[in-house]
Amino acid sequence: MRNSCFILLALLSASGSNAFEVSGNFWENGQAIFHIGISGDSPTGGSWNAAFKRSMNAWSEATSFQFIAIDDFVDPCTARGGGLFGDDITGVDFTATVCGTEFSDSVLAVTLTAGTCLNQQCTGGFHITDADIVFNNNENWDVYTGPSHFFVTDFERVALHELGHALGLDHESTNPSIMQGLVSNTDSLQTDDINGANSIYGGATSLQTIYGIEVIVPAASSLSGPNDSINLAGVLSSSDASLDNKFIDLYQYKFENDSRVDIQLDSTAINPFLYLVRVSSAQDTIPAFTFSDDNSGPGTNASISTDIQAGTYWIGVSSAQNNEQGSYALAMSATSSGGGSSFEIIDSSYGPSVEINPNPNIAGTLASSDFVYEGKFLDLYQFDVVNSTTLRVDLGSNNFDTRLLMVDVLPDKVLGSLFFQDDNISLSNSNSRIEQRLLPGTYWIGVTSFDNAETGDYNIDISVVIP
Ligand SMILES: [Zn+2]
């Protein structure tokens, strides 16, 4: 049994409409497919479809929400009106009425959303499963930029506004934004609009790398399920970093478990070139898990299918020829048995076993079965540094007062100095931090507690400090 509900939004009207406002409704996967087949062209020549797609792309490029265009006509009023809640297929068109109900005075367009309620009373919002947009064909429309004309409305900025409703935004009354309730001279997405969408869907963040290339960390970048799928759209452009005269976009994903991954990189604008590179906590690449492909997909598209170990990976999108620019689509599916990770455990001559784990993020547990060191339990992790790097190691736990150790390991697995340790000096709570420049070599991170015999879960986060 599915609860349905709908709301009428989207009155870009003469009635007036704080920072961004969210409706409380959202697309579960952070993306929406729109079927677009509006007939005809605007008076000044461009097709309505092209203008609508530019509006979709504007949201997709500026925010973590993705609109995906499909070129076919779907009637937005199918299963609308008369108490119906849509057909879960998006449509867009010019119509004389709002699917049977008159447009209110001065209303230019309406977005009708429907979905599955999050609670029985449907007071807590819903997962949007359908969004249909109708533009009032009693109005005069064209496509233009700049100041708004009195008697001819710019279709493209209204489309931007309606798509904001479609992804879950309400009207914004204070900050400059396309989501203001009245059509205005604003013809493009504003910071408030972008922050609004990212507040719902989690904005991508980025990391500085020692290679001088920023890595995009998508909001949903940690993959732990038995089946995960990722769809990204992007553009290689001259503002990107370049590698050997090819532009490159890098995305970071973390696989919680050993996984099978299938990655497909498609483009009609460029000859795609794909990288999958495992990186260590020091951002060194791990050669055994470094892959690249030019043409294994259909046509000149690129594709990589392989088994990988749990860890942090960078997916690189680039081109086969120099300086190619254009849009691309990246699709990845990852499957795992949920069986965790196959990190090697070695016995040390000092007693405790050591997990060889080069990942920047490690989740572990101090347990009573662990090796005991001066009355405290101890876990050890080994990683290598290939290039001299300054690393910041944070150890956090909600269960015990942490103590973090780092030692260098000499070639014959003999400990060098216990040269760094931290209790809770650096941070305001019981967490620990070490920040230190490391020369190439092998190191152990030790996790233990301040008080005797403490147990519980902890997390280690290692990041590279860029000078
Ligand atoms: Zn509106």
Side-chain angles (χ1 to χ4, degrees):
M1 176 73 189
R2 187 185 107 127
N3 287 319
S4 285
C5 53
F6 81 109
I7 53 172
L8 258 180
L9 290 171
L11 311 181
L12 197 70
S13 71
S15 68
S17 128
N18 289 313
F20 60 81
E21 297 289 337
V22 302
S23 66
N25 310 319
F26 57 94
W27 296 81
E28 212 170 353
N29 296 325
Q31 60 181 49
I33 294 169
F34 257 85
H35 295 261
I36 308 150
I38 310 166
S39 61
D41 295 330
S42 69
T44 50
S47 73
W48 303 117
N49 290 331
F52 194 84
K53 283 192 213 173
R54 283 195 300 273
S55 298
M56 292 171 68
N57 286 337
W59 282 108
S60 298
E61 285 174 17
T63 74
S64 53
F65 189 83
Q66 297 294 311
F67 282 112
I68 299 160
I70 293 183
D71 290 313
D72 60 3
F73 177 74
V74 166
D75 184 347
C77 290
T78 303
R80 290 286 188 188
L84 298 173
F85 299 109
D87 55 357
D88 287 354
I89 306 172
T90 60
V92 52
D93 202 6
F94 289 101
T95 59
T97 65
V98 185
C99 304
T101 305
E102 292 295 311
F103 278 97
S104 302
D105 277 353
S106 307
V107 171
L108 298 169
V110 173
T111 299
L112 300 142
T113 57
T116 308
C117 293
L118 298 177
N119 65 27
Q120 201 141 23
Q121 299 76 34
C122 210
T123 53
F126 55 86
H127 285 153
I128 304 170
T129 57
D130 194 7
D132 296 299
I133 300 178
V134 290
F135 291 85
N136 187 343
N137 70 6
N138 306 299
E139 299 289 329
N140 293 314
W141 296 95
D142 201 351
V143 174
Y144 57 84
T145 58
S148 185
H149 304 175
F150 273 121
F151 300 112
V152 181
T153 307
D154 169 37
F155 174 81
E156 193 162 332
R157 75 190 68 185
V158 177
L160 266 180
H161 177 98
E162 299 305 323
L163 287 165
H165 287 310
L167 67 80
L169 291 174
D170 278 350
H171 287 157
E172 158 62 24
S173 57
T174 52
N175 293 336
S177 65
I178 204 77
M179 294 313 294
Q180 288 275 342
L182 293 170
V183 69
S184 75
N185 295 340
T186 301
D187 63 2
S188 60
L189 295 185
Q190 306 294 299
T191 302
D192 189 78
D193 300 310
I194 294 163
N195 289 343
N198 283 340
S199 79
I200 303 172
Y201 296 102
T205 55
S206 64
L207 281 181
Q208 296 288 330
T209 70
I210 53 175
Y211 304 101
I213 302 170
E214 267 201 355
V215 178
I216 302 157
V217 185
S221 65
S222 182
L223 307 178
S224 60
N227 294 288
D228 288 295
S229 64
I230 299 290
N231 287 286
L232 284 179
V235 179
L236 278 191
S237 73
S238 56
S239 60
D240 288 331
S242 65
L243 188 67
D244 297 336
N245 297 311
K246 285 116 183 150
F247 299 116
I248 185 165
D249 286 346
L250 281 179
Y251 299 92
Q252 177 167 305
Y253 285 95
K254 185 171 76 169
F255 297 85
E256 302 286 354
N257 303 301
D258 293 354
S259 296
R260 174 79 191 174
V261 291
D262 297 285
I263 309 171
Q264 178 85 32
L265 175 63
D266 295 341
S267 177
T268 53
I270 60 170
N271 179 351
F273 197 93
L274 177 63
Y275 296 94
L276 174 65
V277 178
R278 185 177 177 193
V279 288
S280 75
S281 53
Q283 293 187 357
D284 296 314
T285 60
I286 299 177
F289 293 99
T290 294
F291 310 91
S292 64
D293 184 69
D294 183 9
N295 287 327
S296 296
T300 64
N301 291 332
S303 154
I304 293 173
S305 295
T306 188
D307 294 313
I308 58 170
Q309 198 175 36
T312 296
Y313 289 79
W314 290 349
I315 295 174
V317 172
S318 189
S319 62
Q321 277 85 47
N322 289 353
N323 301 315
E324 287 190 274
Q325 298 182 46
S327 60
Y328 59 81
L330 182 77
M332 173 170 66
S333 65
T335 57
S336 76
S337 61
S341 53
S342 57
F343 299 130
E344 188 184 351
I345 309 276
I346 57 171
D347 292 326
S348 72
S349 53
Y350 300 93
S353 56
V354 182
E355 180 174 304
I356 301 179
N357 188 334
N359 288 322
N361 310 103
I362 299 171
T365 306
L366 276 191
S368 55
S369 57
D370 285 340
F371 182 80
V372 179
Y373 168 72
E374 295 180 352
K376 289 104 180 160
F377 300 116
L378 173 69
D379 286 351
L380 288 177
Y381 300 95
Q382 176 172 312
F383 68 100
D384 290 312
V385 172
V386 177
N387 302 294
S388 297
T389 313
T390 301
L391 288 186
R392 177 182 300 150
V393 183
D394 285 313
L395 169 64
S397 174
N398 296 322
N399 304 108
F400 60 92
D401 187 352
T402 64
R403 188 154 173 255
L404 175 64
L405 314 172
M406 193 186 291
V407 294
D408 57 353
V409 183
L410 301 176
D412 49 358
K413 298 281 185 278
V414 173
L415 289 187
S417 49
L418 171 82
F419 61 98
F420 315 118
Q421 60 175 312
D422 183 74
D423 173 22
N424 51 14
I425 302 160
S426 309
L427 300 176
S428 59
N429 47 29
S430 62
N431 296 335
S432 306
R433 171 177 288 181
I434 290 171
E435 186 169 318
Q436 185 67 40
R437 183 159 185 84
L438 299 181
L439 298 173
T442 298
Y443 298 85
W444 289 351
I445 289 174
V447 175
T448 186
S449 60
F450 184 75
D451 296 313
N452 285 352
E454 288 192 284
T455 57
D457 294 342
Y458 59 82
N459 281 288
I460 303 170
D461 286 300
I462 308 171
S463 53
V464 170
V465 179
I466 305 289

